[in-house]
Amino acid sequence: MGQVERSLRTTKKITLQNPAEFKENLLTWAQQFDEFVWLDSNNYPQHYSTYDAVLAADGNSDLQCNFHKAFDKFKQYKNKVNDYIFGYLSYDLKNDTENLTSKNNDGLHFPDLYFFQPKKLFLFKNDVLEIQYLSEYKDEIDDDLKSIKQIASSRKGTRNDSVQHDVKIKKRITKKQYLNQLVKILKHIHRGDIYEVNFCQEFYAEDAVINPLEVYHHLNRISNPPFASFIKFNQKYIISASPERFVKKEGLKIISQPIKGTAKRLADKEADKKLAAALANDQKERSENIMIVDLVRNDLSKTAIKGSVKVEELCKVYSFDQVHQMISTISAKVDANTDGIDIIKSLFPMGSMTGAPKLSAMQIIENLEASKRGVYSGAIGYFKSNGDFDFNVVIRSILYNETNNYLSYSVGGAITSKSNPEKEYEECLLKAIAMKRALKTN
């Protein structure tokens, strides 16, 4: 098909004979760049996404900053570029939205916010690939397509030194320490300081040597999530198998889809169905979910047109390869003049990763957790030039700094008055299985 000129970008559409093979080749090809963002819905039927997969590569400009006035800088950058931008928001931007701090251990040293404008953009929908290059780089489209098609699907990395060793994972806190902290949280709940808090723990490795692309493929095969993402910027990597959407804007409609409520999968189909049904009717899990739905409704109402906030799905159970999850969908309408950054700021961080009331929960998290969350609990996604956006919640994710060979993944769960500390600890270990398996070299 022919190329179409736009003000900033030149567009070319092609029909793919084998989209899965092309995607794998494309992701291998992308490893040469200092920065890229890969997003993949893995053909999950209820992902509500505009595209099945997206690759944004080779930064034309970028914004990296820490929390101080980060949302103001983000808005200025987005409006100045007026084009597609991709990146992440770390959990610690809470310090920009509230009078909070982040003083816990941080082995990763990622900036709190990172976004870039890609020179090269690949958008997948069914078997059609839409390529959008900034117009000054349009002459590279055909040569790049040839390079991508020449890459053997079996070749998973472009570096000769991409040897991976078994990663020795350590716990930031012991089980005993975890249970002790839950006793303190339950005291806060019984005093009425909070109704619910998402308490997390970090698993980490020092001197870790991994091939990030191999780990991404492994994690993605294990989990097949609807909001998979793989980010590289300089020597920092985010490898995510997130099942959770933070917030999406399409036209004047906003949707947010918090997850609260988890059950394991079983090989026996009948027993597995019973577990899913039990989760759907579990009063503790439903109460956790409904608390967060109320929080998200309240957050959405800050920027929504009055009376437009609606709960479209309440406590519906969706099944993923590793776990069953209870998900609710809340929607709202916004005025055409409302800036998308203001919508995100009013919702950030995702209520499912904090608790309720939100500010009190975040204060308790900072006091009782042992690690700075950083990108974990934040959001990965993109803005389009028309102001539409889509972001996931960074959970079930491996973070890796190749400069200091520090690797980290965190897991957590919602603690309420009905929580059993032993069961909460077991749920954390269940959520950690996919990341642990993805790091095994065999």
Side-chain angles (χ1 to χ4, degrees):
M1 298 182 185
Q3 294 182 173
V4 179
E5 294 280 355
R6 289 186 180 170
S7 57
L8 274 176
R9 294 190 175 269
T10 297
T11 297
K12 180 173 184 172
K13 290 186 178 182
I14 58 176
T15 301
L16 300 171
Q17 300 304 313
N18 188 336
E21 181 181 0
F22 187 92
K23 282 164 65 174
E24 190 161 350
N25 288 347
L26 178 67
L27 197 46
T28 301
W29 172 82
Q31 304 306 304
Q32 67 186 288
F33 298 109
D34 288 334
E35 57 282 297
F36 67 77
V37 170
W38 170 251
L39 307 171
D40 193 351
S41 70
N42 285 299
N43 298 314
Y44 192 79
Q46 297 294 334
H47 60 80
Y48 301 103
S49 296
T50 306
Y51 307 108
D52 296 336
V54 178
L55 175 75
D58 198 7
N60 190 55
S61 67
D62 72 3
L63 171 67
Q64 298 183 45
C65 64
N66 288 326
F67 69 86
H68 183 63
K69 296 187 176 178
F71 281 102
D72 290 341
K73 295 171 186 173
F74 188 21
K75 187 185 290 188
Q76 289 167 8
Y77 178 69
K78 175 184 72 75
N79 294 337
K80 180 183 176 183
V81 170
N82 193 30
D83 186 27
Y84 280 92
I85 56 172
F86 288 75
Y88 71 77
L89 307 158
S90 88
Y91 172 80
D92 295 287
L93 293 179
K94 66 181 174 57
N95 305 337
D96 188 33
T97 62
E98 302 286 355
N99 184 23
L100 294 167
T101 56
S102 297
K103 296 180 180 177
N104 290 326
N105 183 77
D106 176 20
L108 285 161
H109 309 296
F110 283 32
D112 290 336
L113 181 148
Y114 174 77
F115 276 82
F116 76 99
Q117 176 197 23
K119 295 174 186 172
K120 306 179 179 187
L121 192 55
F122 298 79
L123 308 164
F124 294 81
K125 190 67 178 179
N126 299 319
D127 61 350
V128 175
L129 171 66
E130 182 178 330
I131 302 165
Q132 291 193 23
Y133 276 32
L134 288 176
S135 291
E136 57 265 43
Y137 303 99
K138 64 183 178 181
D139 293 341
E140 298 177 19
I141 293 176
D142 290 337
D143 286 342
D144 285 348
L145 279 172
K146 286 177 188 173
S147 298
I148 293 160
K149 288 172 183 174
Q150 286 168 357
I151 292 171
S153 296
S154 59
R155 185 172 148 226
K156 296 293 197 288
T158 57
R159 297 177 300 167
N160 294 324
D161 62 342
S162 60
V163 177
Q164 181 163 321
H165 306 291
D166 273 324
V167 178
K168 294 182 173 61
I169 298 294
K170 304 175 188 176
K171 296 176 183 176
R172 180 62 61 187
I173 58 173
T174 64
K175 180 180 178 181
K176 184 179 180 181
Q177 289 170 323
Y178 175 91
L179 296 176
N180 285 341
Q181 298 301 65
L182 257 60
V183 169
K184 294 175 186 176
I185 288 170
L186 288 168
K187 285 180 180 176
H188 279 291
I189 291 170
H190 294 141
R191 274 207 306 265
D193 301 332
I194 48 168
Y195 310 114
E196 176 180 342
V197 67
N198 190 286
F199 182 69
C200 300
Q201 57 178 313
E202 182 193 19
F203 296 79
Y204 71 101
E206 297 165 310
D207 302 317
V209 177
I210 67 167
N211 177 343
L213 180 60
E214 288 282 5
V215 173
Y216 169 77
H217 281 307
H218 198 180
L219 182 61
N220 202 46
R221 280 195 297 270
I222 292 166
S223 301
N224 279 306
F227 300 105
S229 51
F230 182 23
I231 290 183
K232 174 190 176 185
F233 66 103
N234 303 320
Q235 275 72 52
K236 299 177 179 68
Y237 294 86
I238 305 166
I239 301 162
S240 178
S242 175
E244 184 171 11
R245 169 175 274 121
F246 169 39
V247 61
K248 178 185 179 184
K249 178 178 184 286
E250 189 165 28
L252 300 179
K253 184 176 181 179
I254 312 295
I255 65 164
S256 184
Q257 296 180 290
I259 290 178
K260 271 287 157 272
T262 305
K264 64 183 177 181
R265 298 298 308 269
L266 296 175
D268 183 298
K269 287 186 179 180
E270 285 305 312
D272 190 57
K273 279 183 184 176
K274 287 180 181 177
L275 269 187
L279 174 61
N281 294 300
D282 187 309
Q283 290 308 304
K284 173 191 171 289
E285 303 283 16
R286 289 182 68 88
S287 68
E288 285 180 15
N289 194 295
I290 290 166
M291 283 183 208
I292 300 306
V293 168
D294 287 341
L295 190 157
V296 172
R297 287 172 62 202
N298 181 65
D299 284 350
L300 277 172
S301 69
K302 295 172 187 174
T303 56
I305 294 169
K306 191 173 181 180
S308 70
V309 179
K310 295 176 181 174
V311 179
E312 295 191 2
E313 280 186 339
L314 184 64
C315 298
K316 184 169 179 181
V317 172
Y318 287 86
S319 298
F320 302 92
D321 283 14
Q322 294 291 305
V323 289
H324 301 291
Q325 301 271 206
M326 188 181 285
I327 304 177
S328 293
T329 300
I330 307 108
S331 70
K333 293 286 179 67
V334 294
D335 186 272
N337 296 320
T338 304
D339 194 294
I341 305 291
D342 295 328
I343 297 167
I344 289 172
K345 184 177 180 180
S346 70
L347 289 164
F348 198 84
M350 179 58 149
S352 59
M353 299 308 297
T354 60
K358 199 171 196 176
L359 177 57
S360 299
M362 289 191 291
Q363 288 169 334
I364 288 166
I365 285 166
E366 196 60 41
N367 288 334
L368 296 182
E369 288 185 0
S371 304
K372 179 181 174 180
R373 288 193 182 180
V375 180
Y376 175 72
S377 297
I380 291 168
Y382 65 93
F383 268 87
K384 297 167 74 171
S385 57
N386 66 0
D388 287 354
F389 57 78
D390 201 358
F391 285 84
N392 75 3
V393 179
V394 185
I395 53 175
R396 321 288 158 82
S397 301
I398 296 166
L399 309 174
Y400 179 56
N401 188 335
E402 195 174 43
T403 307
N404 64 0
N405 296 122
Y406 187 89
L407 181 145
S408 169
Y409 58 87
S410 295
V411 290
I415 313 304
T416 69
S417 61
K418 297 175 182 176
S419 289
N420 177 311
E422 286 281 349
K423 287 184 179 178
E424 296 293 346
Y425 187 76
E426 291 304 315
E427 183 178 309
C428 282
L429 296 185
L430 173 65
K431 290 173 178 175
I433 286 172
M435 282 84 76
K436 190 175 181 181
R437 282 178 57 199
L439 291 164
K440 294 291 184 186
T441 54
N442 60 355

